[in-house]
Amino acid sequence: MCGSRALRLGVNVDHVATLRNARGGTFPDPLRAALLAIEAGADGITAHLREDRRHINDDDMARIKAVISKPLNFEMAATELMLDIALKTRPHAVCLVPEKRTERTTEGGLDVVGGHHYLKPFASELGRVGIRVSLFIEPTIEAIEAAVSIGAPVVELHTGAWCNALSLGEEIKAEQEFGRLKSGAAHAALCGLECHAGHGLDFDTARKIAGLPQIVELNIGHFLIGEAIFIGLAAAIAKMRAAIEAGRAQEMAKAL
Ligand code: PXP
């Protein structure tokens, strides 16, 4: 898959559940958002079942898996309890992420170098039943090589540091971070890994990262759900699709 020019858009519906949970009850329903996202052009749905269940809960995950017609990407921490749930849910994919109770969102990638022995059995157990395993990592050569030795077929490169630097106007840092993503994506492809990216992306950053030809999937949540307040979820997804297709087409034109 690496090197392919197609770029999938996974829509993360966690923050629909965040809004629901702010009031309690059942509205707005992340399953309804997932169905609408697919209708609007999402290639898959991503949801993160956190240990503290701050947004998506077990019932959401089960309902989304049972109903949607596109692949479900189940984000989770590498714990025995989550492994059991994932094995029962049987999503298309699991993305292993680091999780800290005190963080607002997933800060930084997995410690795949130090956590190699711990993570390997999770990757093999999930892979054994046909679940595509990805590791959410920093875009470094060491992390990519550790992902290979863990046996995961996919890495998702953490774009948060790049997006944060851009939003703070830190141009030099942003350029360095983009350089890390560019060489990380190239190295992942060289190692035979399927390469995804996500975290903190908006229309502009998604368009730019779509220009990295090795990346075949972007997972985007917070910005799309926020933008939906202003222009509606279907319009936000359509605009995101157009942005990533424009970014990819520009890159292909340069390569000709
Ligand atoms: N990819 C992974 C692995 C994540 O943990 C998250 C956040 O849950 C995202 C993508 C989406 O990030 P954002 O909500 O900032 O678009």
Side-chain angles (χ1 to χ4, degrees):
M1 275 303 275
C2 262
S4 149
R5 299 296 157 128
L7 182 50
R8 301 188 297 266
L9 172 63
V11 172
N12 180 315
V13 295
D14 291 351
H15 296 306
V16 178
T18 303
L19 188 57
R20 174 197 60 198
N21 296 354
R23 271 290 168 100
T26 56
F27 181 84
D29 183 359
L31 171 58
R32 183 174 166 199
L35 291 170
L36 201 155
I38 289 168
E39 220 178 279
D43 297 298
I45 297 300
T46 294
H48 184 174
L49 187 66
R50 279 187 166 265
E51 288 183 277
D52 62 9
R53 309 299 197 269
R54 69 175 71 160
H55 36 57
I56 293 293
N57 61 35
D58 303 57
D59 181 54
D60 294 329
M61 196 62 100
R63 288 184 307 123
I64 292 171
K65 169 62 175 62
V67 174
I68 64 171
S69 56
K70 295 272 171 140
L72 169 64
N73 177 31
F74 183 143
E75 288 181 5
M76 60 176 235
T79 67
E80 290 299 330
L81 181 63
M82 284 297 156
L83 179 63
D84 274 358
I85 298 172
L87 290 173
K88 284 190 195 112
T89 308
R90 293 295 170 105
H92 169 75
V94 159
C95 180
L96 294 175
V97 301
E99 219 176 270
K100 288 188 224 123
R101 294 232 167 187
T102 50
E103 69 191 357
R104 284 209 193 145
T105 181
T106 315
E107 294 163 358
L110 274 173
D111 176 13
V112 274
V113 177
H116 173 275
H117 293 299
Y118 180 74
L119 292 167
K120 201 173 163 99
F122 284 90
S124 45
E125 189 73 4
L126 291 161
R128 196 178 51 78
V129 297
I131 296 172
R132 185 197 74 188
V133 180
S134 81
L135 303 176
F136 190 42
I137 60 167
E138 290 298 319
T140 67
I141 304 300
E142 300 75 41
I144 289 159
E145 290 182 354
V148 174
S149 70
I150 287 168
V154 183
V155 286
E156 180 165 328
L157 303 182
H158 199 311
T159 52
W162 171 52
C163 295
N164 279 344
L166 280 173
S167 69
L168 295 170
E170 297 170 351
E171 279 173 35
I172 295 171
K173 182 158 178 5
E175 236 171 83
Q176 286 166 346
E177 290 297 339
F178 190 73
R180 291 204 314 150
L181 289 161
K182 189 173 176 180
S183 48
H187 195 68
L190 208 64
C191 293
L193 295 172
E194 183 171 310
C195 189
H196 302 175
H199 209 280
L201 295 171
D202 60 14
F203 293 136
D204 294 337
T205 46
R207 182 187 169 109
K208 170 128 177 153
I209 203 150
L212 300 182
Q214 301 87 359
I215 295 179
V216 299
E217 182 174 308
L218 296 178
N219 285 301
I220 308 180
H222 182 262
F223 175 79
L224 284 173
I225 303 306
E227 187 67 6
I229 294 169
F230 304 108
I231 65 170
L233 185 57
I237 290 168
K239 202 167 160 186
M240 184 60 79
R241 277 227 75 96
I244 64 178
E245 273 156 28
R248 182 59 47 115
Q250 207 173 5
E251 186 277 330
M252 282 175 72
K254 267 195 258 156
L256 289 176

